[in-house]
Every structure is written in structure tokens, then in C-alpha cells.
Amino acid sequence: MSTYIIKRILQMIPLLIGITVVSFFIMQLAPGDPVDLLAERTATAEERARIRSIYGLDEPLYVQYWIWLNNLLRGDFGYSYVRGRPVRDMILERLPNTVYLNAVVAVMIYGLAIPIGVASALRQYSSFDHTVTSFAFLGQALPNFWFGLLLIYGVALRIDIIPVAGMSTYGISLATHSFWAVLVDRLRYLILPVAVMGLSALAGITRYTRSSMLEVIRKDYIRTARSKGLAERLIIYKHALRNALLPIVTILGFEIPLMFSGSVIIENIFSWPGLGTLSVNAVFQRDYMVVMAFNVIGATLVVIGNFVADLLYVVVDPRISYD
Amino acid sequence: MKFERRWSIVPVVALLSFLLVAGCSSVTDPDTGPADGVPAVGGEMVFGMTSEPVILNPILSTGTPAGFVNNRVFASLVRADENLQMEPYVAEDWEFSEDGLEWIFQLRDDVYFHDGEQLTADDVVYTYMAILHEDYTGVRATTYEPIEEVVAVDDLTVKFVLKRPHAPLLSDLTMGIMPSHLLADEPIAQLRELDFNMKPIGAGPFVFEEWRSGEYIVLSRNPDFFLDGPYLEQVRIRFYGDEQVMLTALEAGDIDYIGSIPPDDIDRVMQEYDDKLEFFERQNNGYSYIGLKQTHPILEDHRVRQAMAYGINRRTVVDDVLNGYGTVMNANVPPFSWAYNPDLTDYEYDPDQAIELLEKAGWTEIGDDGIRRNADGDKLSVECVTSTGNVIRENTLLIAQQNLAEIGFDLDVQFYEWTVLLEQYLDAAMFESYMLGWSLGLDPDAYLFFHSDASLDEEGNLRGFNDVEYSNERVDELLELGRITLDQDEREEIYHEIQEILNEELPYIFLFSQDLVSATNRDIRGITMSDIGPLYMEQWYIETAEAEE
Amino acid sequence: MANNPQSKQLTDKKQNMEKGAETWGQMVWRRFRRHRLAVISMYVLAILYLVAIFAPYVATHDFAHVDPINRLQPPSSEHLFGTDRLGRDVFTRVVWGSRVSLSVGFVAAGVAVLLGTVIGAVSGYFGGWVDHMLQRFTEIVQSFPTMFLLLTIIAIVDRSIFNIMVVIGITSWPGLARLVRGEVLSLRKQEFTEAARSIGATDSRIIFKHILPNAMAPVIVNATLRIAGAILAESALSFLGLGVQEPFPSWGSILNAGRNHLRYGIWITLFPGLLIFITVLAFNYIGDGLRDALDPRLQE
């Protein structure tokens, strides 16, 4: 097991280096020059050159990359040219809000999708199953930004207690209000973004659970268990469910990092003060350092997610061993 | 997107001194004058904004949101009063030398930064000299270029030494004074990266408390402010993703003030919320225009430019795009300015006149595509570049495009990201025409827009903002005169003549100046409103503040 | 992903079928037809594509014609989908917009299939260090969250319709590459490949003539779903203001413009969104139908 882990970690290193290379050089392809973000419009060539040297932009690209990479390894993502702030601080102050939104969504969809998917699989071809399958199909095709706008139009503009934007009411916190008052306040803000993000993700995971469960039920050992006359309930929960959940555990590893990029648009619609709004603004403003940081972090999360998923797979499934 | 709007005024901010909230002719509503109640300390007021400051540092910040916050947190040498005149603020008095080359400011002795340190001449020197430093990377160097140096005569006396007389300078001294005791040790090159920019300390009426990125900035009352007030215990500036969302928050009572109601909603909101909100309509200190490259083979003909002015229905743009909340512009000075010239050619929409002018200019043949051609067979087609994401701009251009198509003039509109537009077109001065807007300073000086020295140098670098390469000897002369003349009546004549020439020659097609309607919660009292925004926020108070406490 | 035994069966079946009364194509069609929703979807898409092709004849107005007096009119017999903020006919704009939105799917999916197939096939066929390098490259690209990568590239390229389509394509090939590689790995060991090699067929001939046709079934299914994904991606980009530029419409950009007028012009948002929804749904159903039709496990 430990040799497997070491091997996997070693494999991740070139991958992570590749990710930094792509993230860095993709921004160098952008037409124009970061100096334009820093200099006055009327700056002369000398003034521009001076700014270039202050920011180290006069070094050859590979040197710039090397410096950037070294800082990266120390957890330093550089300074935003637009805001003049450490990129790390900009990300860290937004990160909790995005994690919060995504965590609520994740808990909700896994909490709902797994039971629904399992129930649907167990009653394959029943009307319940048909309804679930149809809804899952609809949910997956629904453009979430459109759905978000319709909810704003249909709900938020009509019902005063559902706010259109933000994540909490200023001044309502545990320090001054009761737990319930805070909870109700947060829920008011969560309901629309969670509904929009949840619906499409829910659809995907329900379908996935359903097909995973169906596959397991068809397997020989379940048939054997049935033929041995074991109670259906026991078969389902003890044998089938456990095995059906295996692939679902692994997609957690993929899904969670991907949710962060999925919340880009939703945050944008509901003015959620998270990473999504930050990243879109950074792209528009050509805030090189921030965009680079986003790509590196996003990709690294995916790599780590895959790694964790692999490990989980080994942990939960005793039949698999890697040596 | 919202920040587009903020970015689109970056170049302008070089000329602008946070005027949105700094002063002009008063239109104080009798309802809210301080007379009808005794101001009491207390309460919170919430401002809504659609874009967020980038950094809070008076010498580096750009854009309205940062200007708004900086004007609360920092105090400046002078500030504008209701009549657009500069009045004492940190400086209690000033005088000019005979030749206009030395300006001496006497500072108040009771001004303290929020950390308790006294504001002295050194702080003023630091603030302005930082901009003149060669490592300075912000956008204000051009504005203060006429300054040779700033020196502290004694603790409370500052001397500005100028390279040449410069009348507009006074209205540029509205920039917040920074605490040198906190900053002087930092290299100027690294100014942009200081923590200070996120937690500014100034000497203004409100103290910076907290900034939650993407959510709000909180300011609190400065009890040691050197003038009367402030009364508001807390000021919070709340950021929204777009103006519709912000409007909904206003209607729900989550915020107490927005600077501009979207034009489409003004009438409805005024009707529905009259009992809760008070509305102020004012002009915007700026205008939108189509800049025409004066050296372009088609546009260099003065008759073609006039045909464009007659051929675009600017009235329709104001009536339909702005829902009537705007003023058609005929030159470069907005109507509320003391320098505004009301007697200019109107260029009222007249397609026949436009066609006649085009035909005179040789654009007589009409091709199968409906586009005019001249004797050489050239097409009457001009590219017009602009930035994406500004709905009013987009709508205006689409109307202009159609109007011009009807007279056989093809306006080929291209939208670019702001950064791309700047880099590839405007900074390089490589375009046929472009549409943008200027936000202006209080002074009518337009040297950087229309003087031939503000055009391209021999190497093709832009020296000012005269990217259309306009050049007129008389205008050059008048612009120079306007800068060194200190008497306002004389200056008024000078600027009237400049407007007449620009109105005739049309380096730009001047389009409109948008009127803004702001809304304020009726509970907020003591507001002085001016044509360019609310003033004297230290005097504002909440009527029910006492009852609430 | 690689369902090797099935592909093998499929190959056998294909060979058997061709000899029998029913060709492989007929068999797939017969099985596809049983998926009722997929068939309906096909008709729906056929109509939408016809509308796109004949846009100039279907449209009732000029898509760019500005008529500010008649702005924000609700749907009526004159303006089926109402008018936008500038008085332009929304129905007309949706009709013209379908050209962009519907072609995005094919071009983007085409680019993804081309890149994915070539990279996957080369990787799987040659193995060794070629495979190793290409695999690492695929992994690197796949690691980036698609939306970030898409935004980053779109922001730096000139945003013509064609570029947008291509960029969506080049951010979505890695899944296909892995799929194809898996198929190829299993196929190249099989007898017919060996046979071809023994009679001196070149590598490229073996890949393109013998292996790829046999690996196509899962690729077709995947490509159908990619089309749906690409349509969503384009509309999301347009929605963020990074799509096709005015005055040319795409469904996403019409919707984006409607965002500011929810209160007085919900129809501007409603109709293009509905069409994106229907189109994506239809491609998903067809993908599903194809999967069933091409899946040899589901025997009759």
C-alpha cells in the first residue's frame, strides 16, 4: 500500500509541473503586455521599460517562469498587477464562500441523489423510475444560467424574503442573534443558488447511482445471494449498495474540484462573493497572475482529487490491492 | 460587465479628481435641509455600488468606487463647494505668487490621521512628490506634470513650485493626503503592493474598518474629525453584481442610496417608492462621443463629419436609449459648467442635409449594397471600435449604425474587450473611429484632448489623449491661454471660443451627457446635493437615529 | 471506459450482419427507432436545423433592424417572441442565432473528435514512450477545470465565431482520447490487426482502415453528447459576454442581453433559453438512443 502511494505521488510530480507550464505559458500567448495594465496610457517607452524592470517583466520568459514556480512552491502566487495585492490573499478571502456554497450543494445532492438513484434502480421500469430518469435527463440539459434568471424573475422579484444577491444579511451573526435567526437568514440566501447548482448536479449523480446500482444487481454474486434465499433487504444493503457506492465514492474525487469551476456562472448571477466572480473578473481584466493562479489551483485540486479517489477505492474495496 | 464601466474611465481618471462626490451648484431639497431637525450621532447608512474599488490609495486608485471611499477616508487640501468653487478643507488659506509659479498653502493645525498622528506639511509633500517620483506607476503623473516640486516651508505651510502657470491645478488638489509617517520608508516602486492600500488610514470624516471583497466596505465615524460632524455612526458600501440586482436591493430597503437608477426603471421607481425614497436628478460630468480620426481619408473631410452629425439621430438616442434622461451634446463642456457655451450649432437630425453634405463631398454613387461611393469607387465605410459590456454604448451605436446606413454611410461597428481596445486601438492611436465616454474634471481645461501637443510624437507615441490627432492652431493657442489665465471671466470667453470651433470642426461627434437620478432613503437628512453628486457627508444624519438607540 | 469484449462482439456482429439480410446500419437504425424520445428528438433537431439553414426565409424581420419606438414589446402576432430593448424582433434574432448555436456543436465536437481520435489512436497503437508522452499530455489538459481553461483561452484569442467553436473543441478532447486509446489498445492485439500487419499494411493504414472503424461506436455516442456540451458551453460564454459580438445574435448573447430586462422583457430571456434547453435535451436523447442501439449487450 505505502509503495503504491509513493508511486502515485511520484507520478503526480511531472503532471503538476506540466500544469504549471501550461498555466504560465498560456497567459504569455495573450496579445498585449501586462505593462499596459500598470502604465499610464501616455507613458513613454522609457517609462514602460522602467515599469517592466520593476516587475521583472524584462527577464526572459523561462526566467520569469522559474521565479514564478519557485514562489509558487513557497505558497506565493505573486502580486496581482491590477490590484497590487498578493494573489494568495485575494483567493483565500474568497475561498471560504465558495467552499461553503459548494459544500451545501454537495451535501444536498449526495444526500438526495444516492437514495433516489438506488430506489430508482431497485424499481427499474416502474413509473417512479421513469419519472426519475426523465427528470434527470431534463436536469442535465437545463442551461443553469437560464434557470437562474428564471428563478430571479419568478421568485426573487416577487417574494421579498428571497434575496436576489449576496450570502448573508449584514449584522446578522451568531454574536448578536440566535442560532435559528442566523440559520434562517443564511438559508434565505442559499435557496436560489443551491437550487440552480443542485438541480443539474443532482441529475448527473442520480443517473450515475442508478446505473451503478443496476450493474451491481445484475452481477453474479447478487444472483447467488438471491438463489441462496437471503433476505432481499439484506442483499440490497449489505452487498449491492456497498459495491454500487464504490464508483460513486471515486467520482467524489473528480466532482468536488469540478464543482468549483461549475459555480463560476452561478456566483456571477447571484453576486455570490466567491472565487467564481473573482475569476471571471480576472479574466476580463487580464489579471495575469490571478488567472494563472486559478488555473494552477483548479488543476491541482483535480489531480489531488483523483489521487484521493484512488486511495479511497483501495480503502473501501478490499478486493483491490496495488503492489 | 460592470467593471468595464469602471475601466472605461481609467484614462479619464488621470484628469479627474474624484468629483462624483466632491461638489458643485447646490440643489438642496428644502425637505432635507438641516433646518428641520437637530442632527444626532448614530445609525448606519448603506450605499449601493455596482463595482468595487480595486485598491484604496488616493494616488493609485482609479474609478468612482475607490474615489467614493477615498473621499470619506482621506482629507484633501481643498474641496469643491456647491458652486464648483474650491473651498478650504485641510488648507485653510492659500495664495499665488504674482507670476503664478508658486502656490503657498497654509494648513489647519487641528487635522489628525485616524491613528492619532497630526497631518503636517510633510504629508502633503509626500503625497504629491510620490506621484512625481520616477518609479511611480499610477495614472496621475500627467495631471500633476506642471508641478516642479512641492516643499514644506514649515510644519503647516506647503509650497507648490510650478514649471509654468497652470490654472486648472487648484481643482486637482482634491486628492486625499496620505500619512507619510506610515509610508515614507516604502519604496515608491512597491507602493502598489502595500497592505495600506487595503486598510487605508487618512484624516477624513470616516475611519476605514473592514473590507469584505465582493461584499462590502465598512467605515465608521471619526469622532476627532476637524469640522462639524460626522453624525453617521457607520457607513457601509455594499457591492452588487449588476444594477438590476442593486435596484432590487434598494426597493427591498436593504440599501439607502444609489447614485444612478437604470434609465428604464426611473419612472416606475419614482412612482412606486415616492414615500420612502427621495430622488435627485443631476447631470453627469462627462459625455459620450464618437472620436473620428482626423487624418483618415474619408473623415478628414469636414463635410463628412458634419454629415455624420446631421445623420445620427442623437435625440432618439437620448429619448429611447436613455429614456429621456440625458442631454444632447454639441461640444465638450457639459451644460452645468460655468464654461458651457449654449449658442452652438445643434446639428438636429436631418438626413437630407446629411445626404447633401455627402454628395458635396463627392460621395454621389450608391452601390447595390446601399453604400455610397466616390468617383474613385471607394466605399463610404468607416470602422468604429468600442468596448464590450456597456449596454448604453452598444445600443447607441446600433442606432447610429442604422441611421447612417440610411444615408448610405456604412459604420462598421466592432466590439473589443477594454484591455484589447486600449492596447491595440486607442493607445496605439490606430483606429478609424471609436466610441467612448469621458468623465471630466471640474475645470474646463481640455488641453490633453484637443491640443496638437497631446497628439502623437514623432515615434507615434500618444502624448495626451488627443488620439484623433486633431490639430488647429487657434485651438492650441486658446488651450494654452486657458491654462495660464487665472481670471474666470476671461477663461469663460476662451472656453466659449474653443467650444465654437470644436462644434464647427467636429473632431468628435459629440453625442450626449447622461443625466443621473439618484435615490436616497428619506430618513437620511442633512444632504447637500449637487449637479455632480452629494456633498459634505459629514453633515448627514439619520432622523430617527436617536429613537433607535 | 474501454469495453473491449463488447467491441469485439460488435465487430463480429458487424461482420455477421453484413452477410445476412440486414446490414449493420439497418440493425442500428431498427434498434434506435425503439427509443421513442430519441426519434422525436431527431425530428425536432431536423426542424431546428432546417430553420437555421433557411433562416432568411423563416425570419420575419431584419435581425439587426433597430426600432427603438417599439422596444420591449411583448409577444404578438407581429413579433412572435416580442422585441428587445432596441425594438429588434426577438423571433428573428433567435432564428438567425440558431445558425451560430447549432453549428457550434458540430464544429466543436468535430475538433474534439478529430484531436481525441488521432491522439488516442496514436497513443494506443504505438504504445511505449509515444503513449507515455501523449498520456501525460492528455492528463495535464484533463486536469484543468474546463470552464477555467475555456475562459482563459477565450479571453486571449480574437473572438470570432470560428475561434470560439475551435476553442471549445480543443478544451474537450481528452475524454475522447482516453476512450479511443482504450479501444485501440484492445483492438490492435486482435487477429484482424495481426493479419493486416502480416500482409505488410502500413501503420496508418492499419489505424485508419482497420482499427478506428471498429472503435467508432463509443466515439459516436460520446461525440453526440459533446455536441450538447459544446452548445451549452457557447451559450455560457455568450452569457458571460465572451461570445459572439453584436449585432450578430447567438442564443446565449440574446439571453445575456435579456438579463437586464427581466422585469419588462422576460421574453427576451425565455425563448432563446428554451431553445438551448430543447436542443441540448434532444442531443442527449439521441446520444442515449445511439448508446442503446450500439450496445451489443442489449440483445433482442
Side-chain angles (χ1 to χ4, degrees), chain B residues 454-507:
Chain B
S455 180
L456 303 182
D457 62 18
E458 300 76 34
E459 290 155 27
N461 285 321
L462 203 53
R463 282 177 300 196
F465 303 120
N466 184 0
D467 42 20
V468 295
E469 296 175 64
Y470 177 67
S471 169
N472 176 305
E473 271 177 40
R474 178 66 185 151
V475 170
D476 284 358
E477 199 178 308
L478 288 166
L479 284 169
E480 286 159 29
L481 199 59
R483 276 189 158 187
I484 57 170
T485 306
L486 298 177
D487 180 85
Q488 188 160 315
D489 292 335
E490 284 174 44
R491 294 189 78 207
E492 186 175 329
E493 269 178 49
I494 294 169
Y495 288 107
H496 274 204
E497 191 181 339
I498 292 174
Q499 288 170 70
E500 275 161 32
I501 301 174
L502 296 178
N503 172 250
E504 169 66 22
E505 297 211 316
L506 298 173

Side-chain angles (χ1 to χ4, degrees), chain A residues 31-32 36 38 40-42 50 55 79 82-85 93-94 164-166 170 271 273 281 284-286, chain B residues 3 6-7 44 54-55 135 137 139 141-142 192-193 198 213-215 234 236 241 245 417 420 423 427 464:
Chain A
D36 290 305
L38 297 160
E40 234 179 321
R41 277 188 65 193
T42 55
R50 195 164 173 86
Y55 283 86
Y79 281 85
V82 176
R83 291 183 183 246
R85 294 188 58 202
E93 71 187 8
R94 295 296 190 99
V164 186
Y170 179 78
S271 307
N281 282 358
F284 270 107
Q285 296 172 331
R286 294 268 176 86
Chain B
F3 53 80
R6 178 175 78 221
W7 271 89
E44 184 200 44
V54 174
I55 56 176
D135 283 348
T137 59
V139 296
T142 323
R192 196 179 280 275
E193 292 161 11
M198 305 310 295
S213 168
E215 294 185 78
Q234 182 163 300
R236 183 155 50 93
V245 169
E417 284 315 305
V420 178
E423 284 165 14
D427 287 353

